[in-house]
Amino acid sequence: MRPTGAALGADVEGVDLANLTDAEFAVIHQAWLDHMVLRLRNQHIDDAAHVALGRRFGELDFNPGTRLTGKVYVEGFPEIVKISNIVENGKPVGELGAGEADWHSDMCFIETPPSASLLRSLEIPPEGGDTSWMNMEAAYAGLPEELKRAVVGRSIKHDAVYVSSGRQRPGTVAPASGDIRDIAGAVHPIVRTHPLTGRKSLYLGKRHNAYVMGMEVAESERLLDALWAHALGGDFTWTQHWRVGDMMIWDNRCTMHQRGAFDSGARRLLHRVVVKGQKPA
Ligand code: SIN
């Protein structure tokens, strides 16, 4: 185990994910709780091994596209979503394209957001498309007292209808009023407690169309802007420069992540599974 030396993350070395023993998995599971994000390099495993590894963390969930429209990205493995900009026969093979993906926690807008995400790289562009993670326990611990007081007992509604780019998710209904308070989405506490470690973290989900329940919209925007400025302004992150064969495993309960843009003419393809979580508390 080699910690990155940054606010979170560690490299796990000397294991073969295709032939993982129970003892090795126990070490990985503990390291995941300790370091929040794990990188395992040179893991050229197939989809069956990827799904099997995910299931060792818990029951797998379906990505939003599959949940809402039944779309399957990999025949025989409905729990896998392709993250890719590749277009075949005029159709994107996966999600997210080549643009920047804003900071977020996976599927924060459902009632039981995933505990773990496992993302493995199959094709990587020569430049760009790096992914960064943020330690939200450190972000919470570093909150100025005034902001700590402002979030006590408060919850955020996380927009389930629109993605950060403003595009509406297929299979969702937009509110006729156009008011962010009327957008459908799950409501979760701003400060959540990790069910396994007992540690507290800031749970911001994603910025776009977030709303602090019970506040006037302007007041909610001010509080969210202050919380995001604090999180983005601190030294809470670590960045992964991808190689083919990398497996990243992260804890969605106490981290956020962001993906940088890359040349849309280059190919990038990753497969991801997510593990069902509990309602944040
Ligand atoms: C994701 O947001 O889960 C994908 C990150 C990436 O494309 O590196």
Side-chain angles (χ1 to χ4, degrees), residues 83 96 104 106 119 131 242 250 257 259 268 272:
I83 307 287
L96 287 188
H104 65 280
D106 286 333
L119 181 66
T131 308
W242 289 94
W250 67 91
H257 56 283
R259 204 275 312 280
R268 188 176 188 272
R272 190 188 78 186

Side-chain angles (χ1 to χ4, degrees), residues 33-174:
L33 294 176
D34 292 343
H35 299 284
M36 303 175 182
V37 180
L38 300 179
R39 175 171 63 189
L40 296 98
R41 295 213 119 139
N42 301 313
Q43 304 290 336
H44 301 278
I45 60 172
D46 61 14
D47 290 323
H50 191 164
V51 164
L53 176 65
R55 288 205 175 116
R56 293 177 92 147
F57 284 85
E59 186 187 349
L60 298 185
D61 207 342
F62 295 101
N63 78 89
T66 306
R67 273 170 158 261
L68 294 167
T69 65
K71 179 176 167 57
V72 170
Y73 295 82
V74 181
E75 214 44 59
F77 297 101
E79 302 94 342
I80 293 180
V81 59
K82 287 187 183 185
I83 307 287
S84 186
N85 65 315
I86 298 169
V87 176
E88 273 169 10
N89 303 321
K91 288 202 178 126
V93 301
E95 302 281 327
L96 287 188
E100 181 175 343
D102 290 340
W103 285 101
H104 65 280
S105 298
D106 286 333
M107 295 160 66
C108 56
F109 49 88
I110 69 169
E111 289 300 319
T112 54
S115 53
S117 298
L118 295 89
L119 181 66
R120 110 180 185 269
S121 53
L122 289 91
E123 294 185 63
I124 288 299
E127 273 184 88
D130 292 342
T131 308
S132 301
W133 280 267
M134 187 183 291
N135 179 337
M136 300 310 288
E137 289 176 5
Y140 172 71
L143 273 181
E145 279 311 312
E146 187 193 340
L147 277 179
K148 244 184 201 164
R149 274 197 302 276
V151 296
V152 171
R154 291 282 181 191
S155 297
I156 293 176
K157 181 155 68 156
H158 302 264
D159 171 10
V161 176
Y162 301 98
V163 300
S164 301
S165 64
R167 179 177 59 79
Q168 191 179 336
R169 284 178 207 285
T172 61
V173 181

